[in-house]
Every structure is written in C-alpha cells, then in structure tokens.
Amino acid sequence: MHEGNLVICDQEQQYARNLLQMFARNREAGIQMYLFHTVEEVERFAEQKPVHTLLIDKEYPPELREQIPAAERYVLITSRQDPLAENEEGVYRYQSAEAIWLQMRHEPAEAQDGRTSESEKPCTGERRKKQQNSGTDERGNSLTKANTDERRQAQHDPKTDPDPDELPEPKPDGRKQKASAGFSTGTKGELIGVYSPVHRIGKTRFALELGREMAKKEPVLYLNLEEYAGGSYYFPDQTGQTLADLLYYSRQEKGNLGLRISTMAGQDGALDYILPMPYVQDMQGISGEEWLGLFGQILENCIYQKVILDLGDSVDGLFQILEACHTVYTPYIEDGAARAKLNQYAENLRKTGREQVLERTIQKKLKQR
C-alpha cells in the first residue's frame, strides 16, 4: 500500500464503515482514508486528488473499476473466480479487517504454524490467467468445473462465512450516517450564508430547502449557527453528536476531520447536516476566528462543495463570516418593519466597510405565513 490517499468504495455501507473504522486504528502517518459508495463519487474525487490505493467492491463491473486511476488496485471478492483485471489484486471480503490490511500492506497473514497461509496469498488477474492456462490453481488443484463448483460452494457456505453485519458496530449515534462525507476535494468549496435581520419568516426552512436542492447536484453540508435553532423540530432524532462535538474534534484532529464528520453527519435526503448546538452559552463562547477555522478545515478535508451556514445574530464575528461567504442569501417579507430592518442592516455593512457582502447578497422574498 502506498502512502497517500486510500479510497474505499463499497455498496455495503455498514460493512464499509466498520472496515474503515478498523483500518483507522492501524492508520500510519501519511495515509489518508476516504469512503464512497458509488464509482461516480470516486471519479469526482480522482479529478481533484490522486488515488494511491483503491479498495473496491467486486459488484462494480470491471469496466467501471478501470475508469478510476489508481496506483494500486484491490478488489473485495467472495470467490477466486470473480473476474479481475490484470492490474487488480483480489482481497477476500469475509476475513478479518486485520488480514485485509496486512495483505494491502504486502504483509501476508501467517497460519498457525508461522508459515504464510496459502488462502491469504493475493489473487491477481495476471496470476489467474496463468493458472487458467495451466489448468491448476495456486495449490496445484485442478480447475475442472466439478472442483471449481465444489470450492465455490464451500466458499459460500452460510454456516462458515461471517455475516458483514456481525462485524463490530461503531459507536451508534442513532442517526443514519453518510460515510462518504469523509474525503477531501483538494480544492476549496464555497461557504453559502443564509442570514436575515428579519426574524420568524421561515429562514431555516428556506436554508434547508436550498441545501436539499443544491445537494441534488453536489455534496452539501448544512450547519445551523442560530442561538435557538429549534433542532428538535427540524431534526427530530436528537441522539447524535452536535456542532459542539465537531468543534472539539476540529481542535484535536486537524488532519482527519473528514473521517470524523463521516461518522457524525446525519442526512436529510441527499443533504448532510450536523445537529446544532443545544446550549446558547456554548454558541456565544466560540469566537469568529474559531468558526472560520472550522469552516476552512471542512472545506479542505471533506467532500463538500457547498457548506450552508444558517446564521443567527448571536454568533460571534457575524460580519466576518458573511465576508467569507461566496454568496449570502437574505430572506425577507414585504412588510414596512421588515424593510426598515433590511435598510439598517445594509447601512451597518456599509459603515463597517463591508459593502462586498451586499454585492454578493441575493435577497429572497418569502411568503408571509
């Protein structure tokens, strides 16, 4: 396995998350791990960053796997008869994560007598072609149809094959997780601010609808930075980790925040979100510089092309954050008081030298409820 970017692409999401977490325990310096569930996601990643090592499910057809540029290519197989390209190496799916890791590190697992286990020797497309030409496998066994079928039946014996769902579970957070969150784009995405000085007009609903629409085309993360976000209404399942936890991890794990977010992010359709802070005192204790540092880490280390910030008045450094946004959406309603507040807000921006925020602002008229 090369140092650099290790990419896992697997349709069995729970199995893949377990495998990623077990790999993370053995992770060495210089290796960054990323998890996807579609070839399209990997291809988009490969356009931005090199794929040094690819571990991919055999359920993706060989012609699709070949489209992914990778220095080393491993395929999770369930049978030695699964088709492999010449530059691919088969890794048996139903073995321990440690055995898979050792094979990818070119350190074959050992049998009980200390010798290298034949069953753990890598199966490559090139080796298989030689075996087929000779009519034997690695052990010298005949590759006749009868023997092949017998071995295939033994390999798929439900009494002996462990169920991937029986692998140790990661610590549950009670929410559906989107593991594909844990990779870097290599180029910074955009911060999208949603802020209005006019309150109780459906701003959060607008921000979520905006995020869902954007998420149909590209990865999007929604963060609520309001003092009273009403998270239990918009996200009824409140058993998971919150934005406060993400800030803590960002201070501790600057190099691997993408992997951490992959285990924290909930989903609303295609939109990812982190639960808002439950206590306004915690929100008010975070400086504007720290918020901007967190957003920078997310854009640098995660998949997200857009990070939607649903901003409230109590967040420290509000104008700084608005300045950092590529676009600012300002919802409003047609009302005399609302118009007066918008004018006062705009005047404050001008007087503090932040006219560029107004230049990047899109005002959205909402229907009065």
Side-chain angles (χ1 to χ4, degrees):
M1 182 191 304
H2 290 285
E3 289 187 354
N5 299 324
L6 164 61
V7 171
I8 301 173
C9 184
D10 196 329
Q11 295 178 359
E12 294 188 23
Q13 297 190 16
Q14 188 63 61
Y15 172 89
R17 281 196 294 268
N18 289 333
L19 192 64
L20 182 69
Q21 290 202 358
M22 294 177 188
F23 279 3
R25 297 172 189 169
N26 297 320
R27 184 171 66 92
E28 301 172 9
I31 297 179
Q32 292 293 323
M33 301 181 185
Y34 307 96
L35 179 58
F36 305 90
H37 300 305
T38 69
V39 171
E40 291 75 15
E41 289 176 325
V42 181
E43 288 177 335
R44 287 197 296 269
F45 172 80
E47 291 174 358
Q48 305 292 338
K49 276 195 170 184
V51 178
H52 299 100
T53 304
L54 174 68
L55 177 62
I56 189 167
D57 184 3
K58 59 120 177 171
E59 295 302 324
Y60 302 104
E63 57 270 20
L64 287 182
R65 303 196 303 255
E66 281 293 311
Q67 295 177 13
I68 303 172
E72 289 186 320
R73 316 168 71 86
Y74 298 90
V75 181
L76 288 165
I77 60 174
T78 57
S79 165
R80 289 188 179 274
Q81 305 309 311
D82 290 331
L84 294 174
E86 290 188 9
N87 61 343
E88 293 179 332
E89 183 172 314
V91 178
Y92 188 59
R93 173 185 287 272
Y94 300 132
Q95 59 179 320
S96 70
E98 181 180 4
I100 294 175
W101 178 263
L102 289 174
Q103 181 174 338
M104 294 172 63
R105 293 293 293 168
H106 306 294
E107 301 174 18
E110 293 186 351
Q112 291 182 349
D113 60 1
R115 295 175 298 174
T116 300
S117 170
E118 290 288 341
S119 63
E120 304 300 337
K121 286 184 178 180
C123 178
T124 65
E126 185 176 1
R127 179 181 289 115
R128 178 176 297 157
K129 185 176 291 186
K130 292 179 181 179
Q131 294 164 4
Q132 290 172 343
N133 291 337
S134 65
T136 61
D137 62 10
E138 294 97 323
R139 303 177 190 180
N141 294 326
S142 171
L143 287 176
T144 62
K145 183 179 187 299
N147 286 340
T148 299
D149 289 346
E150 181 179 352
R151 285 195 301 277
R152 184 176 298 165
Q153 181 177 0
Q155 287 170 325
H156 289 283
D157 186 352
K159 296 179 181 178
T160 58
D161 278 354
D163 188 333
D165 290 334
E166 294 177 358
L167 290 171
E169 291 280 331
K171 184 177 180 181
D173 66 1
R175 288 175 292 152
K176 184 179 179 183
Q177 296 175 345
K178 186 175 181 180
S180 63
F183 66 91
S184 169
T185 62
T187 58
K188 286 191 175 183
E190 298 175 355
L191 293 177
I192 305 296
V194 180
Y195 172 76
S196 177
V198 186
H199 300 160
R200 298 185 60 80
I201 59 173
K203 177 175 69 72
T204 292
R205 185 179 292 106
F206 167 80
L208 287 168
E209 290 174 355
L210 176 68
R212 294 186 195 106
E213 191 63 29
M214 288 182 170
K216 293 177 181 178
K217 301 178 181 179
E218 57 189 346
V220 179
L221 177 68
Y222 169 86
L223 300 177
N224 189 299
L225 276 69
E226 294 181 304
E227 56 271 33
Y228 298 105
S232 60
Y233 176 78
Y234 296 104
F235 311 111
D237 192 338
Q238 294 286 295
T239 57
Q241 294 177 304
T242 72
L243 189 53
D245 299 301
L246 182 58
L247 277 162
Y248 171 79
Y249 293 131
S250 74
R251 299 168 185 141
Q252 305 297 322
E253 305 178 17
K254 294 185 182 296
N256 209 23
L257 191 66
L259 179 61
R260 177 63 63 176
I261 288 184
S262 73
T263 65
M264 294 179 63
Q267 291 177 277
D268 181 354
L271 175 67
D272 278 14
Y273 65 87
I274 302 294
L275 290 173
M277 288 184 174
Y279 303 110
V280 66
Q281 294 84 356
D282 292 342
M283 169 78 67
Q284 294 170 339
I286 307 301
S287 69
E289 288 76 14
E290 189 165 5
W291 283 122
L292 291 172
L294 172 65
F295 304 150
Q297 286 190 58
I298 293 173
L299 293 174
E300 184 69 29
N301 296 298
C302 302
I303 183 177
Y304 304 111
Q305 295 297 310
K306 299 284 191 298
V307 177
I308 293 182
L309 307 176
D310 191 351
L311 298 163
D313 290 317
S314 292
V315 61
D316 185 72
L318 173 62
F319 282 7
Q320 289 178 274
I321 295 172
L322 291 173
E323 276 189 302
C325 291
H326 180 271
T327 304
V328 176
Y329 288 87
T330 299
Y332 72 98
I333 58 174
E334 200 58 66
D335 174 85
R339 179 56 59 185
K341 291 181 179 182
L342 284 173
N343 290 338
Q344 184 180 0
Y345 162 64
E347 187 63 21
N348 271 267
L349 287 172
R350 293 189 186 96
K351 287 186 175 180
T352 55
R354 294 182 169 92
E355 294 90 345
Q356 65 270 32
V357 174
L358 295 174
E359 295 171 2
R360 295 196 293 266
T361 292
I362 299 174
Q363 292 191 356
K364 284 290 185 178
K365 181 180 177 180
L366 304 182
K367 294 180 180 180
Q368 293 188 10
R369 293 180 293 169

